[in-house]
Amino acid sequence: MGTFSLNDAFKNLDIANEECYVVTDEAMTTKILGIYEGGDIRDKTLRQIVITPDDGSMADQSVQYYMENLES
């Protein structure tokens, strides 16, 4: 049985770079509308455990804004 990496799930979505990190903007938005990422698998220069909660908070705000602005 093969090994599964969380990053493998993003390969087919074409939102990860060659190192399998998900590429986002500063609002944690990926190039696919409605998909956000914050945390350890996001492409960034600094990797510290204290950064992950900040990424999650920013992604949460982006998701909330996206959902509030969906057309009914």
Side-chain angles (χ1 to χ4, degrees):
M1 186 194 275
T3 311
F4 175 77
S5 166
L6 182 59
N7 297 14
D8 290 340
F10 299 108
K11 287 180 182 176
N12 292 336
L13 295 177
D14 194 33
I15 58 174
N17 63 17
E18 57 278 350
E19 289 93 26
C20 293
Y21 288 107
V22 176
V23 179
T24 69
D25 61 16
E26 290 301 313
M28 307 304 143
T29 304
T30 66
K31 67 180 182 180
I32 299 178
L33 185 64
I35 297 182
Y36 301 86
E37 167 54 39
D40 294 340
I41 63 170
R42 186 170 78 89
D43 184 36
K44 55 190 168 196
T45 56
L46 181 62
R47 299 200 182 281
Q48 292 182 346
I49 196 163
V50 72
I51 303 281
T52 300
D54 178 58
D55 283 0
S57 179
M58 181 60 76
D60 181 51
Q61 289 178 355
S62 296
V63 169
Q64 181 178 355
Y65 178 81
Y66 170 76
M67 293 183 72
E68 287 174 351
N69 291 289
L70 285 174
E71 292 184 24
S72 301

Short mmCIF file of all heavy atoms in Angstrom, two decimals:
data_model
loop_
_atom_site.label_atom_id
_atom_site.label_comp_id
_atom_site.label_asym_id
_atom_site.label_seq_id
_atom_site.Cartn_x
_atom_site.Cartn_y
_atom_site.Cartn_z
N MET A 1 0.85 -1.17 0.00
CA MET A 1 0.00 0.00 0.00
C MET A 1 0.90 1.24 0.00
O MET A 1 1.86 1.31 0.73
CB MET A 1 -0.91 -0.01 1.22
CG MET A 1 -1.91 1.13 1.16
SD MET A 1 -2.75 1.45 2.70
CE MET A 1 -4.08 0.37 2.72
N GLY A 2 0.57 2.22 -0.83
CA GLY A 2 1.38 3.43 -0.96
C GLY A 2 1.20 4.39 0.20
O GLY A 2 0.26 4.28 0.99
N THR A 3 2.09 5.32 0.30
CA THR A 3 2.02 6.36 1.31
C THR A 3 1.26 7.54 0.74
O THR A 3 1.48 7.93 -0.41
CB THR A 3 3.44 6.82 1.71
OG1 THR A 3 4.23 5.68 1.99
CG2 THR A 3 3.40 7.70 2.92
N PHE A 4 0.38 8.13 1.56
CA PHE A 4 -0.40 9.28 1.11
C PHE A 4 0.07 10.52 1.85
O PHE A 4 0.24 10.51 3.06
CB PHE A 4 -1.89 9.07 1.39
CG PHE A 4 -2.73 10.27 1.06
CD1 PHE A 4 -3.03 10.56 -0.25
CD2 PHE A 4 -3.19 11.10 2.06
CE1 PHE A 4 -3.80 11.67 -0.57
CE2 PHE A 4 -3.95 12.22 1.76
CZ PHE A 4 -4.27 12.49 0.44
N SER A 5 0.31 11.56 1.11
CA SER A 5 0.66 12.86 1.69
C SER A 5 -0.51 13.80 1.45
O SER A 5 -1.14 13.76 0.39
CB SER A 5 1.92 13.41 1.01
OG SER A 5 2.10 14.76 1.32
N LEU A 6 -0.80 14.65 2.41
CA LEU A 6 -1.87 15.64 2.24
C LEU A 6 -1.61 16.47 0.99
O LEU A 6 -2.51 16.83 0.26
CB LEU A 6 -1.98 16.54 3.47
CG LEU A 6 -3.09 17.59 3.44
CD1 LEU A 6 -4.44 16.93 3.28
CD2 LEU A 6 -3.06 18.43 4.69
N ASN A 7 -0.34 16.74 0.73
CA ASN A 7 0.01 17.53 -0.44
C ASN A 7 -0.38 16.82 -1.74
O ASN A 7 -0.65 17.47 -2.74
CB ASN A 7 1.50 17.84 -0.46
CG ASN A 7 1.92 18.69 0.71
OD1 ASN A 7 1.18 18.86 1.66
ND2 ASN A 7 3.10 19.23 0.65
N ASP A 8 -0.42 15.48 -1.73
CA ASP A 8 -0.80 14.73 -2.92
C ASP A 8 -2.22 15.09 -3.37
O ASP A 8 -2.52 15.06 -4.56
CB ASP A 8 -0.74 13.23 -2.67
CG ASP A 8 0.68 12.73 -2.52
OD1 ASP A 8 1.62 13.42 -2.97
OD2 ASP A 8 0.86 11.64 -1.93
N ALA A 9 -3.09 15.44 -2.44
CA ALA A 9 -4.47 15.78 -2.77
C ALA A 9 -4.56 17.03 -3.64
O ALA A 9 -5.53 17.21 -4.37
CB ALA A 9 -5.27 15.99 -1.48
N PHE A 10 -3.55 17.87 -3.59
CA PHE A 10 -3.57 19.12 -4.34
C PHE A 10 -2.93 19.02 -5.72
O PHE A 10 -3.06 19.93 -6.52
CB PHE A 10 -2.91 20.23 -3.53
CG PHE A 10 -3.61 20.49 -2.23
CD1 PHE A 10 -3.04 20.10 -1.04
CD2 PHE A 10 -4.85 21.09 -2.22
CE1 PHE A 10 -3.69 20.32 0.15
CE2 PHE A 10 -5.51 21.32 -1.03
CZ PHE A 10 -4.93 20.93 0.16
N LYS A 11 -2.25 17.93 -6.00
CA LYS A 11 -1.55 17.80 -7.28
C LYS A 11 -2.52 17.87 -8.45
O LYS A 11 -2.26 18.53 -9.45
CB LYS A 11 -0.74 16.52 -7.32
CG LYS A 11 0.49 16.57 -6.45
CD LYS A 11 1.27 15.28 -6.53
CE LYS A 11 2.48 15.35 -5.61
NZ LYS A 11 3.20 14.09 -5.59
N ASN A 12 -3.66 17.21 -8.36
CA ASN A 12 -4.63 17.21 -9.45
C ASN A 12 -5.36 18.53 -9.60
O ASN A 12 -5.94 18.79 -10.65
CB ASN A 12 -5.64 16.08 -9.28
CG ASN A 12 -5.00 14.72 -9.45
OD1 ASN A 12 -3.98 14.58 -10.10
ND2 ASN A 12 -5.60 13.71 -8.85
N LEU A 13 -5.35 19.36 -8.56
CA LEU A 13 -6.01 20.66 -8.64
C LEU A 13 -5.13 21.72 -9.28
O LEU A 13 -5.59 22.81 -9.58
CB LEU A 13 -6.42 21.13 -7.24
CG LEU A 13 -7.45 20.29 -6.52
CD1 LEU A 13 -7.69 20.83 -5.12
CD2 LEU A 13 -8.76 20.25 -7.30
N ASP A 14 -3.86 21.43 -9.45
CA ASP A 14 -2.90 22.36 -10.04
C ASP A 14 -2.82 23.67 -9.25
O ASP A 14 -2.76 24.74 -9.83
CB ASP A 14 -3.24 22.62 -11.50
CG ASP A 14 -2.11 23.30 -12.25
OD1 ASP A 14 -0.93 23.03 -11.92
OD2 ASP A 14 -2.40 24.12 -13.14
N ILE A 15 -2.83 23.56 -7.92
CA ILE A 15 -2.65 24.74 -7.07
C ILE A 15 -1.37 24.65 -6.26
O ILE A 15 -1.07 25.54 -5.47
CB ILE A 15 -3.86 24.98 -6.13
CG1 ILE A 15 -4.10 23.78 -5.22
CG2 ILE A 15 -5.09 25.34 -6.93
CD1 ILE A 15 -5.17 24.01 -4.17
N ALA A 16 -0.61 23.58 -6.47
CA ALA A 16 0.65 23.39 -5.74
C ALA A 16 1.83 23.64 -6.68
O ALA A 16 1.73 23.44 -7.89
CB ALA A 16 0.72 21.99 -5.17
N ASN A 17 2.93 24.06 -6.09
CA ASN A 17 4.15 24.26 -6.87
C ASN A 17 4.91 22.94 -6.99
O ASN A 17 4.44 21.90 -6.54
CB ASN A 17 5.01 25.38 -6.27
CG ASN A 17 5.50 25.07 -4.87
OD1 ASN A 17 5.49 23.94 -4.41
ND2 ASN A 17 5.93 26.11 -4.18
N GLU A 18 6.10 22.99 -7.57
CA GLU A 18 6.87 21.76 -7.80
C GLU A 18 7.32 21.09 -6.50
O GLU A 18 7.60 19.90 -6.49
CB GLU A 18 8.08 22.02 -8.72
CG GLU A 18 9.04 23.08 -8.24
CD GLU A 18 8.59 24.51 -8.56
OE1 GLU A 18 7.63 24.71 -9.32
OE2 GLU A 18 9.20 25.43 -8.02
N GLU A 19 7.36 21.83 -5.40
CA GLU A 19 7.70 21.23 -4.10
C GLU A 19 6.46 20.74 -3.34
O GLU A 19 6.54 20.36 -2.18
CB GLU A 19 8.45 22.23 -3.22
CG GLU A 19 9.87 22.52 -3.68
CD GLU A 19 9.92 23.74 -4.58
OE1 GLU A 19 9.04 24.61 -4.47
OE2 GLU A 19 10.83 23.82 -5.42
N CYS A 20 5.30 20.79 -3.99
CA CYS A 20 4.00 20.36 -3.43
C CYS A 20 3.48 21.29 -2.34
O CYS A 20 2.68 20.87 -1.50
CB CYS A 20 4.06 18.92 -2.94
SG CYS A 20 4.29 17.73 -4.26
N TYR A 21 3.91 22.54 -2.34
CA TYR A 21 3.33 23.53 -1.44
C TYR A 21 2.23 24.27 -2.20
O TYR A 21 2.38 24.61 -3.37
CB TYR A 21 4.38 24.52 -0.95
CG TYR A 21 5.35 23.91 0.03
CD1 TYR A 21 6.66 23.63 -0.35
CD2 TYR A 21 4.95 23.62 1.33
CE1 TYR A 21 7.55 23.06 0.55
CE2 TYR A 21 5.83 23.05 2.23
CZ TYR A 21 7.13 22.78 1.83
OH TYR A 21 8.01 22.22 2.72
N VAL A 22 1.11 24.54 -1.51
CA VAL A 22 -0.01 25.23 -2.13
C VAL A 22 0.31 26.71 -2.26
O VAL A 22 0.72 27.36 -1.29
CB VAL A 22 -1.30 25.02 -1.30
CG1 VAL A 22 -2.46 25.81 -1.90
CG2 VAL A 22 -1.65 23.54 -1.23
N VAL A 23 0.12 27.25 -3.44
CA VAL A 23 0.42 28.66 -3.73
C VAL A 23 -0.83 29.50 -3.45
O VAL A 23 -1.92 29.19 -3.94
CB VAL A 23 0.86 28.83 -5.19
CG1 VAL A 23 1.14 30.29 -5.51
CG2 VAL A 23 2.08 27.97 -5.49
N THR A 24 -0.67 30.54 -2.63
CA THR A 24 -1.76 31.45 -2.28
C THR A 24 -1.29 32.89 -2.36
O THR A 24 -0.09 33.16 -2.43
CB THR A 24 -2.27 31.21 -0.85
OG1 THR A 24 -1.27 31.63 0.08
CG2 THR A 24 -2.66 29.77 -0.60
N ASP A 25 -2.25 33.79 -2.27
CA ASP A 25 -1.90 35.19 -2.08
C ASP A 25 -1.93 35.47 -0.57
O ASP A 25 -2.08 34.55 0.23
CB ASP A 25 -2.84 36.11 -2.86
CG ASP A 25 -4.30 36.00 -2.45
OD1 ASP A 25 -4.59 35.45 -1.36
OD2 ASP A 25 -5.16 36.46 -3.21
N GLU A 26 -1.79 36.72 -0.18
CA GLU A 26 -1.75 37.05 1.25
C GLU A 26 -3.08 36.84 1.96
O GLU A 26 -3.14 36.75 3.18
CB GLU A 26 -1.27 38.49 1.44
CG GLU A 26 0.20 38.68 1.11
CD GLU A 26 1.11 37.80 1.97
OE1 GLU A 26 0.93 37.75 3.20
OE2 GLU A 26 2.02 37.17 1.39
N ALA A 27 -4.17 36.73 1.20
CA ALA A 27 -5.49 36.45 1.78
C ALA A 27 -5.77 34.95 1.82
O ALA A 27 -6.88 34.54 2.10
CB ALA A 27 -6.59 37.17 0.99
N MET A 28 -4.73 34.13 1.53
CA MET A 28 -4.80 32.67 1.54
C MET A 28 -5.66 32.13 0.41
O MET A 28 -6.11 30.99 0.44
CB MET A 28 -5.31 32.12 2.88
CG MET A 28 -4.57 32.61 4.09
SD MET A 28 -2.82 32.29 4.00
CE MET A 28 -2.19 33.77 4.76
N THR A 29 -5.91 32.93 -0.62
CA THR A 29 -6.71 32.52 -1.76
C THR A 29 -5.84 31.78 -2.77
O THR A 29 -4.75 32.24 -3.11
CB THR A 29 -7.31 33.77 -2.45
OG1 THR A 29 -8.05 34.50 -1.49
CG2 THR A 29 -8.20 33.39 -3.60
N THR A 30 -6.32 30.63 -3.24
CA THR A 30 -5.63 29.92 -4.31
C THR A 30 -6.17 30.41 -5.64
O THR A 30 -7.07 31.25 -5.67
CB THR A 30 -5.86 28.39 -4.21
OG1 THR A 30 -7.24 28.11 -4.45
CG2 THR A 30 -5.44 27.85 -2.85
N LYS A 31 -5.66 29.86 -6.73
CA LYS A 31 -6.15 30.29 -8.04
C LYS A 31 -7.51 29.68 -8.38
O LYS A 31 -8.10 30.01 -9.40
CB LYS A 31 -5.13 29.99 -9.13
CG LYS A 31 -4.88 28.54 -9.40
CD LYS A 31 -3.84 28.40 -10.50
CE LYS A 31 -3.59 26.95 -10.82
NZ LYS A 31 -2.58 26.82 -11.89
N ILE A 32 -8.04 28.81 -7.50
CA ILE A 32 -9.37 28.23 -7.70
C ILE A 32 -10.34 28.92 -6.76
O ILE A 32 -10.17 28.90 -5.53
CB ILE A 32 -9.36 26.71 -7.46
CG1 ILE A 32 -8.42 26.02 -8.44
CG2 ILE A 32 -10.78 26.15 -7.58
CD1 ILE A 32 -8.31 24.53 -8.24
N LEU A 33 -11.35 29.54 -7.32
CA LEU A 33 -12.36 30.26 -6.56
C LEU A 33 -12.97 29.37 -5.48
O LEU A 33 -13.42 28.26 -5.77
CB LEU A 33 -13.45 30.77 -7.50
CG LEU A 33 -14.52 31.66 -6.89
CD1 LEU A 33 -13.90 32.96 -6.38
CD2 LEU A 33 -15.60 31.96 -7.92
N GLY A 34 -12.93 29.83 -4.24
CA GLY A 34 -13.54 29.09 -3.14
C GLY A 34 -12.61 28.14 -2.42
O GLY A 34 -13.02 27.49 -1.46
N ILE A 35 -11.36 28.01 -2.87
CA ILE A 35 -10.39 27.14 -2.20
C ILE A 35 -9.32 28.01 -1.57
O ILE A 35 -8.67 28.81 -2.26
CB ILE A 35 -9.77 26.10 -3.15
CG1 ILE A 35 -10.86 25.16 -3.67
CG2 ILE A 35 -8.67 25.32 -2.43
CD1 ILE A 35 -10.36 24.06 -4.57
N TYR A 36 -9.16 27.86 -0.27
CA TYR A 36 -8.21 28.65 0.51
C TYR A 36 -7.26 27.72 1.24
O TYR A 36 -7.60 26.57 1.51
CB TYR A 36 -8.96 29.53 1.52
CG TYR A 36 -9.94 30.46 0.85
CD1 TYR A 36 -11.22 30.04 0.55
CD2 TYR A 36 -9.56 31.74 0.50
CE1 TYR A 36 -12.11 30.89 -0.09
CE2 TYR A 36 -10.44 32.60 -0.13
CZ TYR A 36 -11.72 32.16 -0.42
OH TYR A 36 -12.59 33.00 -1.06
N GLU A 37 -6.10 28.22 1.60
CA GLU A 37 -5.12 27.40 2.33
C GLU A 37 -4.36 28.29 3.31
O GLU A 37 -3.99 29.40 2.99
CB GLU A 37 -4.14 26.77 1.35
CG GLU A 37 -2.90 26.16 1.99
CD GLU A 37 -3.19 25.17 3.09
OE1 GLU A 37 -4.15 24.40 2.97
OE2 GLU A 37 -2.46 25.19 4.08
N GLY A 38 -4.18 27.77 4.47
CA GLY A 38 -3.34 28.43 5.46
C GLY A 38 -2.64 27.38 6.28
O GLY A 38 -3.25 26.38 6.67
N GLY A 39 -1.38 27.55 6.52
CA GLY A 39 -0.68 26.59 7.36
C GLY A 39 0.57 26.04 6.74
O GLY A 39 1.18 26.65 5.88
N ASP A 40 0.91 24.85 7.19
CA ASP A 40 2.20 24.25 6.87
C ASP A 40 2.39 23.88 5.40
O ASP A 40 3.52 23.75 4.96
CB ASP A 40 2.43 22.99 7.71
CG ASP A 40 2.57 23.31 9.18
OD1 ASP A 40 2.86 24.47 9.51
OD2 ASP A 40 2.39 22.39 10.00
N ILE A 41 1.32 23.67 4.66
CA ILE A 41 1.52 23.28 3.25
C ILE A 41 1.38 24.46 2.31
O ILE A 41 1.36 24.30 1.11
CB ILE A 41 0.58 22.13 2.84
CG1 ILE A 41 -0.87 22.53 2.92
CG2 ILE A 41 0.87 20.89 3.64
CD1 ILE A 41 -1.80 21.49 2.29
N ARG A 42 1.31 25.68 2.86
CA ARG A 42 1.26 26.88 2.03
C ARG A 42 2.67 27.28 1.64
O ARG A 42 3.59 27.22 2.46
CB ARG A 42 0.58 28.02 2.78
CG ARG A 42 0.38 29.25 1.93
CD ARG A 42 -0.50 30.27 2.63
NE ARG A 42 0.23 31.02 3.63
CZ ARG A 42 0.89 32.16 3.38
NH1 ARG A 42 0.94 32.64 2.17
NH2 ARG A 42 1.52 32.78 4.35
N ASP A 43 2.85 27.70 0.40
CA ASP A 43 4.16 28.15 -0.08
C ASP A 43 4.49 29.49 0.56
O ASP A 43 3.76 30.47 0.39
CB ASP A 43 4.14 28.29 -1.60
CG ASP A 43 5.48 28.66 -2.17
OD1 ASP A 43 6.50 28.19 -1.63
OD2 ASP A 43 5.51 29.42 -3.16
N LYS A 44 5.55 29.52 1.36
CA LYS A 44 5.99 30.75 2.01
C LYS A 44 7.45 30.62 2.38
O LYS A 44 8.01 29.53 2.39
CB LYS A 44 5.15 31.04 3.25
CG LYS A 44 5.13 29.92 4.26
CD LYS A 44 4.11 30.17 5.33
CE LYS A 44 3.90 28.91 6.14
NZ LYS A 44 2.72 28.96 6.93
N THR A 45 8.09 31.73 2.67
CA THR A 45 9.51 31.69 2.96
C THR A 45 9.81 31.35 4.41
O THR A 45 10.82 30.74 4.71
CB THR A 45 10.17 33.04 2.62
OG1 THR A 45 9.50 34.08 3.33
CG2 THR A 45 10.10 33.32 1.13
N LEU A 46 8.94 31.72 5.32
CA LEU A 46 9.16 31.48 6.75
C LEU A 46 8.22 30.39 7.24
O LEU A 46 7.02 30.47 7.05
CB LEU A 46 8.92 32.77 7.54
CG LEU A 46 9.13 32.71 9.04
CD1 LEU A 46 10.58 32.37 9.36
CD2 LEU A 46 8.77 34.05 9.66
N ARG A 47 8.77 29.36 7.88
CA ARG A 47 7.96 28.27 8.42
C ARG A 47 8.19 28.19 9.92
O ARG A 47 9.21 27.72 10.38
CB ARG A 47 8.34 26.95 7.76
CG ARG A 47 8.11 26.98 6.30
CD ARG A 47 8.00 25.60 5.70
NE ARG A 47 7.82 25.74 4.27
CZ ARG A 47 6.66 26.04 3.70
NH1 ARG A 47 5.59 26.20 4.42
NH2 ARG A 47 6.58 26.19 2.40
N GLN A 48 7.23 28.66 10.65
CA GLN A 48 7.27 28.59 12.11
C GLN A 48 5.88 28.23 12.60
O GLN A 48 4.88 28.65 12.02
CB GLN A 48 7.69 29.92 12.73
CG GLN A 48 9.11 30.31 12.43
CD GLN A 48 9.47 31.62 13.12
OE1 GLN A 48 8.62 32.35 13.59
NE2 GLN A 48 10.75 31.91 13.17
N ILE A 49 5.82 27.51 13.70
CA ILE A 49 4.53 27.07 14.23
C ILE A 49 3.63 28.26 14.59
O ILE A 49 2.42 28.19 14.49
CB ILE A 49 4.71 26.12 15.42
CG1 ILE A 49 3.40 25.39 15.69
CG2 ILE A 49 5.21 26.86 16.64
CD1 ILE A 49 3.56 24.17 16.55
N VAL A 50 4.21 29.37 14.96
CA VAL A 50 3.42 30.54 15.33
C VAL A 50 2.75 31.19 14.11
O VAL A 50 1.75 31.87 14.24
CB VAL A 50 4.30 31.56 16.09
CG1 VAL A 50 5.28 32.24 15.16
CG2 VAL A 50 3.47 32.57 16.83
N ILE A 51 3.24 30.94 12.92
CA ILE A 51 2.67 31.51 11.69
C ILE A 51 1.36 30.80 11.31
O ILE A 51 0.44 31.42 10.80
CB ILE A 51 3.68 31.41 10.53
CG1 ILE A 51 4.98 32.10 10.88
CG2 ILE A 51 3.09 31.93 9.24
CD1 ILE A 51 5.01 33.58 10.77
N THR A 52 1.27 29.52 11.57
CA THR A 52 0.12 28.72 11.15
C THR A 52 -1.21 29.25 11.68
O THR A 52 -2.16 29.37 10.91
CB THR A 52 0.34 27.24 11.52
OG1 THR A 52 1.52 26.78 10.86
CG2 THR A 52 -0.83 26.38 11.09
N PRO A 53 -1.34 29.60 12.97
CA PRO A 53 -2.63 30.16 13.43
C PRO A 53 -2.99 31.46 12.72
O PRO A 53 -4.15 31.72 12.43
CB PRO A 53 -2.41 30.38 14.92
CG PRO A 53 -1.34 29.42 15.30
CD PRO A 53 -0.45 29.36 14.10
N ASP A 54 -1.99 32.27 12.40
CA ASP A 54 -2.24 33.51 11.67
C ASP A 54 -2.76 33.20 10.27
O ASP A 54 -3.71 33.82 9.81
CB ASP A 54 -0.95 34.34 11.60
CG ASP A 54 -1.15 35.62 10.82
OD1 ASP A 54 -2.03 36.43 11.21
OD2 ASP A 54 -0.43 35.81 9.82
N ASP A 55 -2.15 32.24 9.60
CA ASP A 55 -2.62 31.82 8.28
C ASP A 55 -4.06 31.33 8.35
O ASP A 55 -4.89 31.67 7.51
CB ASP A 55 -1.76 30.69 7.72
CG ASP A 55 -0.42 31.14 7.17
OD1 ASP A 55 -0.13 32.35 7.21
OD2 ASP A 55 0.34 30.26 6.71
N GLY A 56 -4.36 30.53 9.36
CA GLY A 56 -5.71 30.00 9.52
C GLY A 56 -6.73 31.09 9.74
O GLY A 56 -7.83 31.06 9.19
N SER A 57 -6.38 32.07 10.53
CA SER A 57 -7.27 33.20 10.79
C SER A 57 -7.52 33.99 9.51
O SER A 57 -8.65 34.39 9.22
CB SER A 57 -6.66 34.10 11.87
OG SER A 57 -7.48 35.21 12.11
N MET A 58 -6.47 34.23 8.74
CA MET A 58 -6.62 34.96 7.48
C MET A 58 -7.47 34.17 6.49
O MET A 58 -8.33 34.72 5.82
CB MET A 58 -5.25 35.26 6.87
CG MET A 58 -5.32 36.05 5.58
SD MET A 58 -6.12 37.65 5.74
CE MET A 58 -4.80 38.56 6.52
N ALA A 59 -7.24 32.86 6.41
CA ALA A 59 -8.04 32.01 5.52
C ALA A 59 -9.51 32.04 5.94
O ALA A 59 -10.40 32.12 5.10
CB ALA A 59 -7.51 30.58 5.51
N ASP A 60 -9.76 31.99 7.24
CA ASP A 60 -11.13 32.04 7.76
C ASP A 60 -11.82 33.33 7.34
O ASP A 60 -12.97 33.32 6.91
CB ASP A 60 -11.12 31.91 9.28
CG ASP A 60 -12.50 31.93 9.87
OD1 ASP A 60 -13.37 31.17 9.40
OD2 ASP A 60 -12.74 32.74 10.80
N GLN A 61 -11.14 34.45 7.45
CA GLN A 61 -11.72 35.73 7.05
C GLN A 61 -12.00 35.75 5.54
O GLN A 61 -13.03 36.27 5.11
CB GLN A 61 -10.79 36.88 7.42
CG GLN A 61 -10.72 37.13 8.90
CD GLN A 61 -9.75 38.25 9.24
OE1 GLN A 61 -9.06 38.79 8.38
NE2 GLN A 61 -9.70 38.61 10.51
N SER A 62 -11.11 35.19 4.76
CA SER A 62 -11.30 35.15 3.31
C SER A 62 -12.49 34.27 2.93
O SER A 62 -13.29 34.63 2.07
CB SER A 62 -10.03 34.64 2.62
OG SER A 62 -8.97 35.55 2.81
N VAL A 63 -12.62 33.13 3.59
CA VAL A 63 -13.76 32.24 3.34
C VAL A 63 -15.07 32.93 3.72
O VAL A 63 -16.05 32.88 2.98
CB VAL A 63 -13.62 30.90 4.11
CG1 VAL A 63 -14.90 30.10 4.07
CG2 VAL A 63 -12.46 30.09 3.54
N GLN A 64 -15.09 33.61 4.86
CA GLN A 64 -16.30 34.31 5.30
C GLN A 64 -16.69 35.38 4.28
O GLN A 64 -17.85 35.49 3.90
CB GLN A 64 -16.09 34.95 6.66
CG GLN A 64 -17.32 35.67 7.18
CD GLN A 64 -17.11 36.27 8.55
OE1 GLN A 64 -16.09 36.10 9.18
NE2 GLN A 64 -18.11 37.00 9.01
N TYR A 65 -15.72 36.16 3.82
CA TYR A 65 -16.00 37.19 2.81
C TYR A 65 -16.54 36.56 1.53
O TYR A 65 -17.51 37.02 0.95
CB TYR A 65 -14.73 38.00 2.52
CG TYR A 65 -14.93 39.04 1.45
CD1 TYR A 65 -15.51 40.27 1.74
CD2 TYR A 65 -14.54 38.79 0.12
CE1 TYR A 65 -15.70 41.22 0.75
CE2 TYR A 65 -14.73 39.73 -0.87
CZ TYR A 65 -15.31 40.94 -0.55
OH TYR A 65 -15.50 41.88 -1.54
N TYR A 66 -15.91 35.47 1.09
CA TYR A 66 -16.35 34.77 -0.11
C TYR A 66 -17.79 34.29 0.03
O TYR A 66 -18.62 34.50 -0.86
CB TYR A 66 -15.41 33.58 -0.38
CG TYR A 66 -15.88 32.64 -1.46
CD1 TYR A 66 -15.78 32.98 -2.80
CD2 TYR A 66 -16.42 31.40 -1.13
CE1 TYR A 66 -16.22 32.12 -3.79
CE2 TYR A 66 -16.85 30.53 -2.11
CZ TYR A 66 -16.74 30.90 -3.44
OH TYR A 66 -17.19 30.03 -4.42
N MET A 67 -18.11 33.67 1.15
CA MET A 67 -19.46 33.12 1.36
C MET A 67 -20.50 34.22 1.49
O MET A 67 -21.62 34.08 0.99
CB MET A 67 -19.46 32.20 2.57
CG MET A 67 -18.63 30.95 2.33
SD MET A 67 -18.66 29.80 3.69
CE MET A 67 -20.32 29.18 3.52
N GLU A 68 -20.16 35.33 2.11
CA GLU A 68 -21.10 36.44 2.25
C GLU A 68 -21.39 37.09 0.90
O GLU A 68 -22.43 37.74 0.75
CB GLU A 68 -20.55 37.48 3.22
CG GLU A 68 -20.59 37.03 4.66
CD GLU A 68 -19.91 38.00 5.61
OE1 GLU A 68 -19.25 38.96 5.15
OE2 GLU A 68 -20.04 37.79 6.84
N ASN A 69 -20.52 36.93 -0.06
CA ASN A 69 -20.68 37.58 -1.35
C ASN A 69 -21.09 36.63 -2.47
O ASN A 69 -21.09 37.02 -3.64
CB ASN A 69 -19.39 38.33 -1.72
CG ASN A 69 -19.18 39.51 -0.82
OD1 ASN A 69 -19.90 40.49 -0.90
ND2 ASN A 69 -18.23 39.41 0.09
N LEU A 70 -21.45 35.39 -2.11
CA LEU A 70 -21.98 34.47 -3.11
C LEU A 70 -23.34 34.96 -3.57
O LEU A 70 -24.15 35.44 -2.78
CB LEU A 70 -22.13 33.06 -2.53
CG LEU A 70 -20.86 32.26 -2.34
CD1 LEU A 70 -21.20 30.94 -1.62
CD2 LEU A 70 -20.20 31.96 -3.67
N GLU A 71 -23.60 34.83 -4.85
CA GLU A 71 -24.93 35.18 -5.34
C GLU A 71 -25.89 34.07 -5.00
O GLU A 71 -25.62 32.90 -5.18
CB GLU A 71 -24.87 35.40 -6.85
CG GLU A 71 -24.08 36.63 -7.24
CD GLU A 71 -24.12 36.90 -8.73
OE1 GLU A 71 -25.08 36.45 -9.39
OE2 GLU A 71 -23.20 37.55 -9.21
N SER A 72 -27.04 34.45 -4.50
CA SER A 72 -28.06 33.46 -4.12
C SER A 72 -28.81 32.96 -5.31
O SER A 72 -29.05 33.59 -6.27
CB SER A 72 -29.05 34.07 -3.14
OG SER A 72 -28.35 34.49 -1.99
#
